[in-house]
Amino acid sequence: MSQNLQLAITAFGGPETLKLQHTSVPTPNDNQALVKVAFAGVNPIDAKTRAGLGWGAEKIKDSLPWVPGFDAAGTIVSDAGAFKAGDRVVGRIVEGGGYGQYLCADLDALSRIPDGVSFEQAACLPVAGLTALQALELADVQAGDRVLVLAGAGGVGHIAIQLGKAKGAEVFASCSSANTDFVSSLGATALDYRDQALDAQVQDIDVLIDLMGGDVGEAALACVKAGGRVVTVPTITAPRIIDAAKEKGIEAQGMLVKPNTQQLDMLTAAIEAKSLLVEITKIYPLEQGVQAHVDIQSGRTRGKILLEMP
């Protein structure tokens, strides 16, 4: 019988709790397809879940060992629904499992990958791309809005900058000095957060896309004008940011990214049309997933980190 090599969270803790395991290739039900995974995205939520933090950890605490990976790109193994064997697909996998050679995915979670888009590019989109798109929509970003994106060089941030510019917004983005050229190349005004406080660099912001949370997210509220809008993505500190914003007369809300194949189709089409760039900073083989987690939890990665399946 074929084996399915996976990288699983065996206990809550540091990256070293990720261990390789061999399982049988899963059998899809009537509403699923079996996907041979080519690449999976590594996201901050993966590291937080592994550490035992947030809603993801609460959901899986009684299911360890558990295989993370909420986004994956690969090939349909056998005909299922509207998909044919060999179709290239990408999906936001709510149940996880992307860190493995095979997974069963709900048919309504999968999108076809256009011919002009690689597996690697597609694998960057289900979590980071949808988060960026849905955050901008939740904040009702309009042409002419002044938008501040925190962590502009990161996986979500660098996509949010481009989508904000496409809406006609004036975009500012915080980053380190090492990433100012990169952020500027995407069309944003780069703000070096180590140079001076953000509110000393920019004021009268209409929309804050907070991808940092905590002390950084709360401090950035000083840049937002009264009546401005804030979407804060890190769920752990969302209540704190929302309360602090309310005291300043600013509307703030948290969000959880939702699967949306229509939006995923829009993002892959934008890549094919070369109107959206995804930056891939590192691709690790699955067997080096521990190092990928060391990188992602540093909070200093540019663009996306991927795992390649053997």
Side-chain angles (χ1 to χ4, degrees):
M1 179 180 284
S2 297
Q3 288 290 296
N4 182 21
L5 182 66
Q6 300 172 307
L7 187 66
I9 298 170
T10 58
F12 291 142
E16 71 282 354
T17 63
L18 291 166
K19 305 288 185 187
L20 291 169
Q21 64 180 26
H22 287 276
T23 62
S24 298
V25 174
T27 301
N29 65 33
D30 291 343
N31 299 313
Q32 294 181 322
L34 180 63
V35 178
K36 187 177 191 300
V37 180
F39 294 90
V42 178
N43 297 289
I45 185 64
D46 302 355
K48 289 175 182 174
T49 302
R50 188 215 67 237
L53 303 172
W55 62 270
E58 181 65 26
K59 187 176 175 182
I60 66 156
K61 63 183 180 181
D62 298 321
S63 305
L64 301 180
W66 180 81
V67 179
F70 295 109
D71 49 15
T75 307
I76 297 289
V77 174
S78 53
D79 294 359
F83 296 103
K84 301 297 183 185
D87 283 351
R88 300 186 321 131
V89 294
V90 61
R92 165 85 169 86
I93 313 301
V94 175
E95 303 80 14
Y99 291 17
Q101 289 174 295
Y102 294 91
L103 62 78
C104 292
D106 291 346
L107 294 172
D108 60 8
L110 296 173
S111 290
R112 283 186 176 81
I113 301 173
D115 291 341
V117 178
S118 67
F119 282 129
E120 294 94 323
Q121 291 171 313
C124 296
L125 296 174
V127 173
L130 288 178
T131 299
L133 180 59
Q134 291 173 15
L136 292 169
E137 290 193 347
L138 193 59
D140 192 27
V141 171
Q142 302 290 326
D145 277 343
R146 288 162 59 84
V147 177
L148 172 58
V149 177
L150 300 188
V156 177
H158 86 288
I159 296 174
I161 289 170
Q162 297 172 77
L163 297 180
K165 290 292 292 182
K167 286 178 175 285
E170 181 182 5
V171 182
F172 302 81
S174 67
C175 61
S176 67
S177 57
N179 287 318
T180 53
D181 287 347
F182 171 61
V183 164
S184 297
S185 75
L186 301 174
T189 299
L191 309 176
D192 181 354
Y193 63 84
R194 291 176 178 150
D195 185 34
Q196 55 183 328
L198 290 180
D199 62 310
Q201 300 184 61
V202 69
Q203 285 285 327
D204 295 322
I205 288 296
D206 296 294
V207 174
L208 170 64
I209 304 297
D210 171 26
L211 304 175
M212 294 291 293
D215 294 343
V216 176
E218 185 169 349
L221 295 173
C223 304
V224 183
K225 68 183 185 184
R229 293 104 68 197
V230 176
V231 172
T232 182
V233 172
T235 55
I236 297 171
T237 60
R240 169 185 170 184
I241 303 301
I242 292 168
D243 289 345
K246 189 175 181 180
E247 291 180 10
K248 294 177 177 290
I250 299 167
E251 177 194 339
Q253 50 191 324
M255 67 163 280
L256 276 178
V257 62
K258 296 179 175 65
N260 188 311
T261 52
Q262 288 182 316
Q263 291 179 334
L264 204 46
D265 290 342
M266 286 169 47
L267 291 167
T268 55
I271 289 179
E272 187 172 45
K274 296 185 167 45
S275 60
L276 176 65
L277 163 114
V278 285
E279 175 83 0
I280 301 170
T281 189
K282 188 79 176 180
I283 298 175
Y284 286 104
L286 179 66
E287 295 88 341
Q288 292 179 26
V290 169
Q291 185 58 49
H293 270 234
V294 171
D295 290 0
I296 199 72
Q297 71 183 22
S298 75
R300 295 188 179 92
T301 53
R302 175 191 291 188
K304 288 289 299 176
I305 296 174
L306 302 179
L307 292 179
E308 183 174 11
M309 301 308 130

